[in-house]
Amino acid sequence: MEKTWRWFGKKDKITLPMLRQIGVEGIVTALHDIPNGKVWSYEAIMDLKKYIESFDLRWSVVESLPVCEAIKYAGKECDQLIDNYKISLANLGKAGVKTVCYNFMPVIDWIRTDLAHKWDDGTSSLYFDTVQFAFFDIFILERENAERDYVPEIVECARKMNEIATEADKNALVDSIIVKTQGFVNGNITKKDKQPVVLFKKLLNLYKGIDKEKLRENLQYFLSAIMPVCEEYGVNMCIHPDDPPRQVLGLPRIVTNEEDIAWLLNAVDNPHNGLTFCAGSLSAGTHNDVPVLAAKFASHTHFVHLRSTNILPDGNFIETGHLTGRGHLIELVRIFEKENPSLPFRVDHGRQMLDDKDKSYNPGYSFYGRMFALAQMDGVMATIKDEINKNII
Ligand code: DNO
């Protein structure tokens, strides 16, 4: 597979020459400065593409061309926004950037409660704690009937947490859940927003009355509208699974399991409608057997995120090492190498280690931690290629 790396543009402290030194072949990036919903011009795309190519790298994947909320909840600006999306896709296609990752998660993209969960060896990784999340939902957001979504023991622990939490604790949690993890992925809330909770609640309100069926309809509408452009320019759309893969905050989520993925591929049956196979997101649900899903959907996969999690007995989950955990990444590399050796993959998130600590990288996107994981995956790939060449597998 092609070794790619998520790079956040010319302002990223991790530079393209650094990536060349560690064996990266392709870049995964976006025009992060263009506000969501606005057209990506051909000129702006070519400018970034040429910059990347000047370092002997290629722009392999767009992550993400963001889908605006009004497309997801079918607001009145929906058709205009889809038209803009089509123009951006056509411009990408003309520029030769033909793999586009996106998600259809309402309001909030990926969710973690702790961005620096300590390991015994001094490194840290990202973590999701159910009690902290329930505390955020019930006592900080004060979402109507939120406690119905948690078992009584969790509600009780969240209540106790609320009794002792200071304002600073609450702000730190808000920062982790809806600010720090969202801003840099072109999410709805950024560091500049003074009242993130107020804004977040307004966004949640936009989805009143939108259930799983309705959200599916809206996704189908969006995909059917853009497919002709994808066909004309050879662009492959790859949806990112919901992270974690379940309903949250009363919002529907529709890419959580085998049935959802099968629905998506069937609803718009077109080779350009495919998947970002994110092993990390899928592995955070006990209902998912990740290698089974990979084997089943490999031919519809256009892009792979290699990351693994472990689910703890209390339902919390931790981002674990790339050679362990429920992601079964070794088996996945075996499946995808056989299916399509030129498929782009990136190591998705790494631990914070060594010099990463003081660099204020985006959460999950450390340098040494990801480099370490990339080296591990590189070794796995080399072994598997060798097995394939010797006809052992
Ligand atoms: C988190 C990322 C996601 C992903 C988007 C794709 O680290 O994997 O934010 O980029 O969901 O649209």
Side-chain angles (χ1 to χ4, degrees), residues 124-150:
S124 69
S125 66
L126 305 173
Y127 191 80
F128 180 94
D129 182 292
T130 313
V131 172
Q132 298 243 14
F133 191 67
F135 166 53
F136 165 77
D137 189 5
I138 304 170
F139 297 100
I140 299 181
L141 286 184
E142 298 175 310
R143 186 172 63 84
E144 208 180 327
N145 298 325
E147 61 284 353
R148 289 191 196 158
D149 290 357
Y150 306 91

PDB file of all heavy atoms in Angstrom, residues 124-150:
ATOM      1  N   SER A 124       1.747   8.907  26.099  1.00  0.00           N
ATOM      2  CA  SER A 124       0.309   9.061  26.354  1.00  0.00           C
ATOM      3  C   SER A 124      -0.453   8.864  25.050  1.00  0.00           C
ATOM      4  O   SER A 124       0.114   8.983  23.957  1.00  0.00           O
ATOM      5  CB  SER A 124       0.011  10.443  26.932  1.00  0.00           C
ATOM      6  OG  SER A 124       0.214  11.429  25.949  1.00  0.00           O
ATOM      7  N   SER A 125      -1.732   8.525  25.203  1.00  0.00           N
ATOM      8  CA  SER A 125      -2.559   8.411  24.001  1.00  0.00           C
ATOM      9  C   SER A 125      -3.959   8.930  24.304  1.00  0.00           C
ATOM     10  O   SER A 125      -4.249   9.375  25.412  1.00  0.00           O
ATOM     11  CB  SER A 125      -2.594   6.967  23.488  1.00  0.00           C
ATOM     12  OG  SER A 125      -3.251   6.141  24.416  1.00  0.00           O
ATOM     13  N   LEU A 126      -4.823   8.881  23.318  1.00  0.00           N
ATOM     14  CA  LEU A 126      -6.172   9.432  23.449  1.00  0.00           C
ATOM     15  C   LEU A 126      -7.100   8.397  24.078  1.00  0.00           C
ATOM     16  O   LEU A 126      -6.926   7.190  23.882  1.00  0.00           O
ATOM     17  CB  LEU A 126      -6.697   9.841  22.071  1.00  0.00           C
ATOM     18  CG  LEU A 126      -5.809  10.814  21.292  1.00  0.00           C
ATOM     19  CD1 LEU A 126      -6.349  11.010  19.890  1.00  0.00           C
ATOM     20  CD2 LEU A 126      -5.726  12.144  21.993  1.00  0.00           C
ATOM     21  N   TYR A 127      -8.113   8.904  24.795  1.00  0.00           N
ATOM     22  CA  TYR A 127      -8.922   8.016  25.633  1.00  0.00           C
ATOM     23  C   TYR A 127     -10.363   8.497  25.648  1.00  0.00           C
ATOM     24  O   TYR A 127     -10.625   9.711  25.595  1.00  0.00           O
ATOM     25  CB  TYR A 127      -8.339   8.092  27.049  1.00  0.00           C
ATOM     26  CG  TYR A 127      -8.843   7.068  28.024  1.00  0.00           C
ATOM     27  CD1 TYR A 127      -8.327   5.777  28.024  1.00  0.00           C
ATOM     28  CD2 TYR A 127      -9.813   7.409  28.973  1.00  0.00           C
ATOM     29  CE1 TYR A 127      -8.780   4.844  28.947  1.00  0.00           C
ATOM     30  CE2 TYR A 127     -10.270   6.470  29.891  1.00  0.00           C
ATOM     31  CZ  TYR A 127      -9.744   5.194  29.880  1.00  0.00           C
ATOM     32  OH  TYR A 127     -10.178   4.261  30.782  1.00  0.00           O
ATOM     33  N   PHE A 128     -11.285   7.548  25.757  1.00  0.00           N
ATOM     34  CA  PHE A 128     -12.709   7.897  25.895  1.00  0.00           C
ATOM     35  C   PHE A 128     -13.230   7.274  27.179  1.00  0.00           C
ATOM     36  O   PHE A 128     -13.167   6.058  27.362  1.00  0.00           O
ATOM     37  CB  PHE A 128     -13.511   7.353  24.709  1.00  0.00           C
ATOM     38  CG  PHE A 128     -14.979   7.674  24.791  1.00  0.00           C
ATOM     39  CD1 PHE A 128     -15.497   8.799  24.160  1.00  0.00           C
ATOM     40  CD2 PHE A 128     -15.853   6.854  25.498  1.00  0.00           C
ATOM     41  CE1 PHE A 128     -16.851   9.106  24.242  1.00  0.00           C
ATOM     42  CE2 PHE A 128     -17.210   7.154  25.585  1.00  0.00           C
ATOM     43  CZ  PHE A 128     -17.712   8.280  24.954  1.00  0.00           C
ATOM     44  N   ASP A 129     -13.734   8.129  28.076  1.00  0.00           N
ATOM     45  CA  ASP A 129     -14.232   7.669  29.362  1.00  0.00           C
ATOM     46  C   ASP A 129     -15.747   7.921  29.410  1.00  0.00           C
ATOM     47  O   ASP A 129     -16.214   9.059  29.287  1.00  0.00           O
ATOM     48  CB  ASP A 129     -13.518   8.485  30.457  1.00  0.00           C
ATOM     49  CG  ASP A 129     -13.933   8.063  31.848  1.00  0.00           C
ATOM     50  OD1 ASP A 129     -15.110   8.299  32.216  1.00  0.00           O
ATOM     51  OD2 ASP A 129     -13.098   7.516  32.561  1.00  0.00           O
ATOM     52  N   THR A 130     -16.506   6.846  29.599  1.00  0.00           N
ATOM     53  CA  THR A 130     -17.970   6.944  29.518  1.00  0.00           C
ATOM     54  C   THR A 130     -18.549   7.843  30.604  1.00  0.00           C
ATOM     55  O   THR A 130     -19.490   8.603  30.349  1.00  0.00           O
ATOM     56  CB  THR A 130     -18.591   5.530  29.628  1.00  0.00           C
ATOM     57  OG1 THR A 130     -17.864   4.674  28.750  1.00  0.00           O
ATOM     58  CG2 THR A 130     -20.038   5.526  29.236  1.00  0.00           C
ATOM     59  N   VAL A 131     -17.988   7.774  31.815  1.00  0.00           N
ATOM     60  CA  VAL A 131     -18.533   8.602  32.896  1.00  0.00           C
ATOM     61  C   VAL A 131     -18.292  10.085  32.601  1.00  0.00           C
ATOM     62  O   VAL A 131     -19.191  10.923  32.732  1.00  0.00           O
ATOM     63  CB  VAL A 131     -17.904   8.208  34.258  1.00  0.00           C
ATOM     64  CG1 VAL A 131     -18.326   9.194  35.335  1.00  0.00           C
ATOM     65  CG2 VAL A 131     -18.301   6.794  34.638  1.00  0.00           C
ATOM     66  N   GLN A 132     -17.091  10.393  32.159  1.00  0.00           N
ATOM     67  CA  GLN A 132     -16.787  11.798  31.831  1.00  0.00           C
ATOM     68  C   GLN A 132     -17.712  12.305  30.727  1.00  0.00           C
ATOM     69  O   GLN A 132     -18.179  13.449  30.763  1.00  0.00           O
ATOM     70  CB  GLN A 132     -15.342  11.911  31.326  1.00  0.00           C
ATOM     71  CG  GLN A 132     -14.323  11.517  32.330  1.00  0.00           C
ATOM     72  CD  GLN A 132     -13.424  12.708  32.696  1.00  0.00           C
ATOM     73  OE1 GLN A 132     -13.729  13.842  32.385  1.00  0.00           O
ATOM     74  NE2 GLN A 132     -12.334  12.421  33.364  1.00  0.00           N
ATOM     75  N   PHE A 133     -17.957  11.433  29.762  1.00  0.00           N
ATOM     76  CA  PHE A 133     -18.815  11.848  28.651  1.00  0.00           C
ATOM     77  C   PHE A 133     -20.248  12.061  29.127  1.00  0.00           C
ATOM     78  O   PHE A 133     -20.909  13.042  28.746  1.00  0.00           O
ATOM     79  CB  PHE A 133     -18.746  10.821  27.516  1.00  0.00           C
ATOM     80  CG  PHE A 133     -19.394  11.317  26.254  1.00  0.00           C
ATOM     81  CD1 PHE A 133     -18.824  12.385  25.565  1.00  0.00           C
ATOM     82  CD2 PHE A 133     -20.559  10.758  25.783  1.00  0.00           C
ATOM     83  CE1 PHE A 133     -19.431  12.889  24.406  1.00  0.00           C
ATOM     84  CE2 PHE A 133     -21.164  11.243  24.627  1.00  0.00           C
ATOM     85  CZ  PHE A 133     -20.594  12.307  23.932  1.00  0.00           C
ATOM     86  N   ALA A 134     -20.720  11.152  29.998  1.00  0.00           N
ATOM     87  CA  ALA A 134     -22.075  11.301  30.555  1.00  0.00           C
ATOM     88  C   ALA A 134     -22.157  12.578  31.389  1.00  0.00           C
ATOM     89  O   ALA A 134     -23.158  13.309  31.337  1.00  0.00           O
ATOM     90  CB  ALA A 134     -22.414  10.080  31.405  1.00  0.00           C
ATOM     91  N   PHE A 135     -21.110  12.861  32.133  1.00  0.00           N
ATOM     92  CA  PHE A 135     -21.045  14.093  32.934  1.00  0.00           C
ATOM     93  C   PHE A 135     -21.173  15.328  32.020  1.00  0.00           C
ATOM     94  O   PHE A 135     -21.958  16.253  32.273  1.00  0.00           O
ATOM     95  CB  PHE A 135     -19.724  14.090  33.716  1.00  0.00           C
ATOM     96  CG  PHE A 135     -19.327  15.398  34.321  1.00  0.00           C
ATOM     97  CD1 PHE A 135     -20.211  16.099  35.147  1.00  0.00           C
ATOM     98  CD2 PHE A 135     -18.069  15.936  34.078  1.00  0.00           C
ATOM     99  CE1 PHE A 135     -19.835  17.325  35.702  1.00  0.00           C
ATOM    100  CE2 PHE A 135     -17.692  17.148  34.643  1.00  0.00           C
ATOM    101  CZ  PHE A 135     -18.589  17.845  35.442  1.00  0.00           C
ATOM    102  N   PHE A 136     -20.433  15.304  30.921  1.00  0.00           N
ATOM    103  CA  PHE A 136     -20.492  16.413  29.945  1.00  0.00           C
ATOM    104  C   PHE A 136     -21.922  16.554  29.399  1.00  0.00           C
ATOM    105  O   PHE A 136     -22.485  17.650  29.348  1.00  0.00           O
ATOM    106  CB  PHE A 136     -19.491  16.111  28.816  1.00  0.00           C
ATOM    107  CG  PHE A 136     -19.665  16.949  27.583  1.00  0.00           C
ATOM    108  CD1 PHE A 136     -19.228  18.267  27.559  1.00  0.00           C
ATOM    109  CD2 PHE A 136     -20.263  16.419  26.441  1.00  0.00           C
ATOM    110  CE1 PHE A 136     -19.388  19.046  26.408  1.00  0.00           C
ATOM    111  CE2 PHE A 136     -20.426  17.185  25.297  1.00  0.00           C
ATOM    112  CZ  PHE A 136     -19.984  18.503  25.281  1.00  0.00           C
ATOM    113  N   ASP A 137     -22.489  15.438  29.035  1.00  0.00           N
ATOM    114  CA  ASP A 137     -23.806  15.428  28.378  1.00  0.00           C
ATOM    115  C   ASP A 137     -24.916  15.868  29.348  1.00  0.00           C
ATOM    116  O   ASP A 137     -25.711  16.770  29.060  1.00  0.00           O
ATOM    117  CB  ASP A 137     -24.044  13.993  27.861  1.00  0.00           C
ATOM    118  CG  ASP A 137     -25.254  13.863  26.965  1.00  0.00           C
ATOM    119  OD1 ASP A 137     -25.860  14.903  26.658  1.00  0.00           O
ATOM    120  OD2 ASP A 137     -25.591  12.727  26.587  1.00  0.00           O
ATOM    121  N   ILE A 138     -24.924  15.250  30.552  1.00  0.00           N
ATOM    122  CA  ILE A 138     -26.044  15.472  31.477  1.00  0.00           C
ATOM    123  C   ILE A 138     -25.882  16.790  32.242  1.00  0.00           C
ATOM    124  O   ILE A 138     -26.829  17.551  32.395  1.00  0.00           O
ATOM    125  CB  ILE A 138     -26.156  14.298  32.494  1.00  0.00           C
ATOM    126  CG1 ILE A 138     -26.293  12.961  31.761  1.00  0.00           C
ATOM    127  CG2 ILE A 138     -27.334  14.507  33.449  1.00  0.00           C
ATOM    128  CD1 ILE A 138     -26.162  11.729  32.647  1.00  0.00           C
ATOM    129  N   PHE A 139     -24.650  17.061  32.706  1.00  0.00           N
ATOM    130  CA  PHE A 139     -24.479  18.192  33.637  1.00  0.00           C
ATOM    131  C   PHE A 139     -23.848  19.439  33.022  1.00  0.00           C
ATOM    132  O   PHE A 139     -24.011  20.524  33.555  1.00  0.00           O
ATOM    133  CB  PHE A 139     -23.664  17.754  34.862  1.00  0.00           C
ATOM    134  CG  PHE A 139     -24.389  16.697  35.648  1.00  0.00           C
ATOM    135  CD1 PHE A 139     -24.056  15.351  35.513  1.00  0.00           C
ATOM    136  CD2 PHE A 139     -25.448  17.041  36.488  1.00  0.00           C
ATOM    137  CE1 PHE A 139     -24.740  14.372  36.214  1.00  0.00           C
ATOM    138  CE2 PHE A 139     -26.136  16.070  37.196  1.00  0.00           C
ATOM    139  CZ  PHE A 139     -25.786  14.730  37.061  1.00  0.00           C
ATOM    140  N   ILE A 140     -23.139  19.298  31.921  1.00  0.00           N
ATOM    141  CA  ILE A 140     -22.567  20.517  31.313  1.00  0.00           C
ATOM    142  C   ILE A 140     -23.478  20.995  30.171  1.00  0.00           C
ATOM    143  O   ILE A 140     -23.929  22.125  30.155  1.00  0.00           O
ATOM    144  CB  ILE A 140     -21.124  20.278  30.823  1.00  0.00           C
ATOM    145  CG1 ILE A 140     -20.226  19.879  32.009  1.00  0.00           C
ATOM    146  CG2 ILE A 140     -20.584  21.525  30.130  1.00  0.00           C
ATOM    147  CD1 ILE A 140     -18.764  19.627  31.672  1.00  0.00           C
ATOM    148  N   LEU A 141     -23.792  20.062  29.272  1.00  0.00           N
ATOM    149  CA  LEU A 141     -24.725  20.450  28.201  1.00  0.00           C
ATOM    150  C   LEU A 141     -26.153  20.576  28.718  1.00  0.00           C
ATOM    151  O   LEU A 141     -26.966  21.286  28.163  1.00  0.00           O
ATOM    152  CB  LEU A 141     -24.748  19.380  27.093  1.00  0.00           C
ATOM    153  CG  LEU A 141     -23.583  19.267  26.137  1.00  0.00           C
ATOM    154  CD1 LEU A 141     -23.909  18.210  25.084  1.00  0.00           C
ATOM    155  CD2 LEU A 141     -23.311  20.596  25.445  1.00  0.00           C
ATOM    156  N   GLU A 142     -26.462  19.805  29.741  1.00  0.00           N
ATOM    157  CA  GLU A 142     -27.819  19.708  30.311  1.00  0.00           C
ATOM    158  C   GLU A 142     -28.833  19.374  29.208  1.00  0.00           C
ATOM    159  O   GLU A 142     -29.882  19.997  29.086  1.00  0.00           O
ATOM    160  CB  GLU A 142     -28.193  21.029  31.001  1.00  0.00           C
ATOM    161  CG  GLU A 142     -27.257  21.341  32.157  1.00  0.00           C
ATOM    162  CD  GLU A 142     -27.519  22.704  32.790  1.00  0.00           C
ATOM    163  OE1 GLU A 142     -27.609  23.697  32.055  1.00  0.00           O
ATOM    164  OE2 GLU A 142     -27.644  22.741  34.024  1.00  0.00           O
ATOM    165  N   ARG A 143     -28.480  18.401  28.405  1.00  0.00           N
ATOM    166  CA  ARG A 143     -29.350  17.987  27.303  1.00  0.00           C
ATOM    167  C   ARG A 143     -30.603  17.312  27.862  1.00  0.00           C
ATOM    168  O   ARG A 143     -30.501  16.488  28.774  1.00  0.00           O
ATOM    169  CB  ARG A 143     -28.570  17.027  26.383  1.00  0.00           C
ATOM    170  CG  ARG A 143     -29.296  16.638  25.130  1.00  0.00           C
ATOM    171  CD  ARG A 143     -28.383  15.866  24.200  1.00  0.00           C
ATOM    172  NE  ARG A 143     -27.923  14.598  24.763  1.00  0.00           N
ATOM    173  CZ  ARG A 143     -28.619  13.460  24.713  1.00  0.00           C
ATOM    174  NH1 ARG A 143     -29.786  13.407  24.116  1.00  0.00           N
ATOM    175  NH2 ARG A 143     -28.109  12.353  25.238  1.00  0.00           N
ATOM    176  N   GLU A 144     -31.731  17.664  27.317  1.00  0.00           N
ATOM    177  CA  GLU A 144     -33.003  17.129  27.810  1.00  0.00           C
ATOM    178  C   GLU A 144     -33.004  15.590  27.768  1.00  0.00           C
ATOM    179  O   GLU A 144     -32.660  14.997  26.754  1.00  0.00           O
ATOM    180  CB  GLU A 144     -34.115  17.649  26.888  1.00  0.00           C
ATOM    181  CG  GLU A 144     -35.456  17.773  27.539  1.00  0.00           C
ATOM    182  CD  GLU A 144     -36.477  18.301  26.515  1.00  0.00           C
ATOM    183  OE1 GLU A 144     -36.107  19.106  25.631  1.00  0.00           O
ATOM    184  OE2 GLU A 144     -37.629  17.860  26.609  1.00  0.00           O
ATOM    185  N   ASN A 145     -33.357  14.976  28.852  1.00  0.00           N
ATOM    186  CA  ASN A 145     -33.451  13.514  28.963  1.00  0.00           C
ATOM    187  C   ASN A 145     -32.147  12.759  28.672  1.00  0.00           C
ATOM    188  O   ASN A 145     -32.173  11.566  28.358  1.00  0.00           O
ATOM    189  CB  ASN A 145     -34.535  12.942  28.035  1.00  0.00           C
ATOM    190  CG  ASN A 145     -35.907  13.472  28.408  1.00  0.00           C
ATOM    191  OD1 ASN A 145     -36.178  13.677  29.594  1.00  0.00           O
ATOM    192  ND2 ASN A 145     -36.749  13.701  27.425  1.00  0.00           N
ATOM    193  N   ALA A 146     -31.045  13.444  28.785  1.00  0.00           N
ATOM    194  CA  ALA A 146     -29.756  12.804  28.455  1.00  0.00           C
ATOM    195  C   ALA A 146     -29.530  11.571  29.323  1.00  0.00           C
ATOM    196  O   ALA A 146     -28.993  10.559  28.855  1.00  0.00           O
ATOM    197  CB  ALA A 146     -28.612  13.791  28.647  1.00  0.00           C
ATOM    198  N   GLU A 147     -29.943  11.620  30.600  1.00  0.00           N
ATOM    199  CA  GLU A 147     -29.643  10.498  31.509  1.00  0.00           C
ATOM    200  C   GLU A 147     -30.271   9.191  31.024  1.00  0.00           C
ATOM    201  O   GLU A 147     -29.773   8.116  31.351  1.00  0.00           O
ATOM    202  CB  GLU A 147     -30.036  10.817  32.964  1.00  0.00           C
ATOM    203  CG  GLU A 147     -31.480  11.113  33.267  1.00  0.00           C
ATOM    204  CD  GLU A 147     -31.927  12.523  32.824  1.00  0.00           C
ATOM    205  OE1 GLU A 147     -31.072  13.315  32.392  1.00  0.00           O
ATOM    206  OE2 GLU A 147     -33.126  12.795  32.881  1.00  0.00           O
ATOM    207  N   ARG A 148     -31.311   9.293  30.186  1.00  0.00           N
ATOM    208  CA  ARG A 148     -31.936   8.054  29.662  1.00  0.00           C
ATOM    209  C   ARG A 148     -30.982   7.259  28.759  1.00  0.00           C
ATOM    210  O   ARG A 148     -31.202   6.093  28.480  1.00  0.00           O
ATOM    211  CB  ARG A 148     -33.170   8.413  28.822  1.00  0.00           C
ATOM    212  CG  ARG A 148     -34.313   8.912  29.654  1.00  0.00           C
ATOM    213  CD  ARG A 148     -35.549   8.982  28.778  1.00  0.00           C
ATOM    214  NE  ARG A 148     -36.563   9.792  29.418  1.00  0.00           N
ATOM    215  CZ  ARG A 148     -37.560  10.380  28.783  1.00  0.00           C
ATOM    216  NH1 ARG A 148     -37.686  10.252  27.469  1.00  0.00           N
ATOM    217  NH2 ARG A 148     -38.447  11.073  29.448  1.00  0.00           N
ATOM    218  N   ASP A 149     -29.941   7.927  28.268  1.00  0.00           N
ATOM    219  CA  ASP A 149     -29.012   7.248  27.345  1.00  0.00           C
ATOM    220  C   ASP A 149     -27.899   6.484  28.053  1.00  0.00           C
ATOM    221  O   ASP A 149     -27.015   5.927  27.400  1.00  0.00           O
ATOM    222  CB  ASP A 149     -28.375   8.267  26.391  1.00  0.00           C
ATOM    223  CG  ASP A 149     -29.378   8.799  25.387  1.00  0.00           C
ATOM    224  OD1 ASP A 149     -30.525   8.328  25.401  1.00  0.00           O
ATOM    225  OD2 ASP A 149     -29.007   9.688  24.596  1.00  0.00           O
ATOM    226  N   TYR A 150     -27.898   6.505  29.389  1.00  0.00           N
ATOM    227  CA  TYR A 150     -26.823   5.829  30.135  1.00  0.00           C
ATOM    228  C   TYR A 150     -27.425   4.905  31.187  1.00  0.00           C
ATOM    229  O   TYR A 150     -28.533   5.180  31.693  1.00  0.00           O
ATOM    230  CB  TYR A 150     -25.914   6.868  30.825  1.00  0.00           C
ATOM    231  CG  TYR A 150     -25.362   7.904  29.855  1.00  0.00           C
ATOM    232  CD1 TYR A 150     -26.049   9.099  29.613  1.00  0.00           C
ATOM    233  CD2 TYR A 150     -24.182   7.657  29.149  1.00  0.00           C
ATOM    234  CE1 TYR A 150     -25.565  10.030  28.707  1.00  0.00           C
ATOM    235  CE2 TYR A 150     -23.693   8.592  28.240  1.00  0.00           C
ATOM    236  CZ  TYR A 150     -24.392   9.776  28.015  1.00  0.00           C
ATOM    237  OH  TYR A 150     -23.909  10.690  27.103  1.00  0.00           O
TER     238      TYR A 150
END
